Amino acid sequence: MSLIQLSLLWLFGFAGGIAVGSGFVAFITVLDILPRLLQMTKSQQYLRWYEFAIVFGVVVFTLVDFFDWMAYGFVWFNLLIGLFMGLFVGMLAGALTEVVNVIPILSRRLKMQRYLFLLILAMAIGKTIGSLCQWIFLE
């Protein structure tokens, strides 16, 4: 690979990373995801820990993806990491639905206000089963 091709590859990769990172920050900032998550969990005193967890997670898993790291043989460690990743995605999705009021609007449109608990439970169980199927059968 020539120096020009390598420079262009680096430039486009860096520009793509800046675009994705900016979109992620805009998503969290504009929709007030983190403040709403803190409010829902009543853990405002741990704001710095949440910020650190987000930044640490983004940096570590960018490096994991970039260098194609694999963790073989550490089943319990992988389960623990998967659990924390699932908790993060679930809490982020919960905060997002709270911010944009997806569930109340969906329950009104489907005329399911009386069954709102069952609707949320069905969504959570479906997400869990879908994630487990992907994790077990497609990996």
Side-chain angles (χ1 to χ4, degrees):
M1 186 176 290
S2 72
L3 184 60
I4 293 174
Q5 289 175 326
L6 192 60
S7 298
L8 285 174
L9 183 64
W10 182 85
L11 179 68
F12 289 140
F14 186 72
I18 293 293
V20 170
S22 299
F24 181 70
V25 169
F27 168 74
I28 289 177
T29 305
V30 169
L31 293 177
D32 285 335
I33 297 295
L34 194 57
R36 183 65 181 143
L37 183 62
L38 290 169
Q39 183 182 13
M40 285 174 56
T41 59
K42 295 179 178 63
S43 59
Q44 289 84 0
Q45 70 272 19
Y46 298 114
L47 172 64
R48 294 288 176 210
W49 285 99
Y50 280 92
E51 291 171 346
F52 175 75
I54 290 172
V55 171
F56 181 75
V58 167
V59 169
V60 167
F61 287 105
T62 298
L63 292 173
V64 166
D65 187 45
F66 188 71
F67 293 113
D68 202 24
W69 291 341
M70 297 288 186
Y72 296 109
F74 300 112
V75 175
W76 294 109
F77 179 72
N78 287 343
L79 287 173
L80 184 66
I81 294 297
L83 175 69
F84 283 127
M85 290 171 65
L87 287 171
F88 174 76
V89 170
M91 287 176 37
L92 194 61
L96 178 60
T97 57
E98 281 289 318
V99 168
V100 295
N101 291 324
V102 170
I103 294 175
I105 292 170
L106 181 65
S107 70
R108 276 195 298 272
R109 293 216 176 153
L110 295 176
K111 297 180 178 29
M112 293 184 67
Q113 290 93 344
R114 291 178 29 201
Y115 306 107
L116 187 58
F117 174 75
L118 293 175
L119 176 65
I120 293 171
L121 187 63
M123 289 169 47
I125 290 171
K127 175 67 177 164
T128 303
I129 291 172
S131 295
L132 285 173
C133 286
Q134 179 185 6
W135 221 42
I136 293 169
F137 300 118
L138 297 179
E139 289 294 321

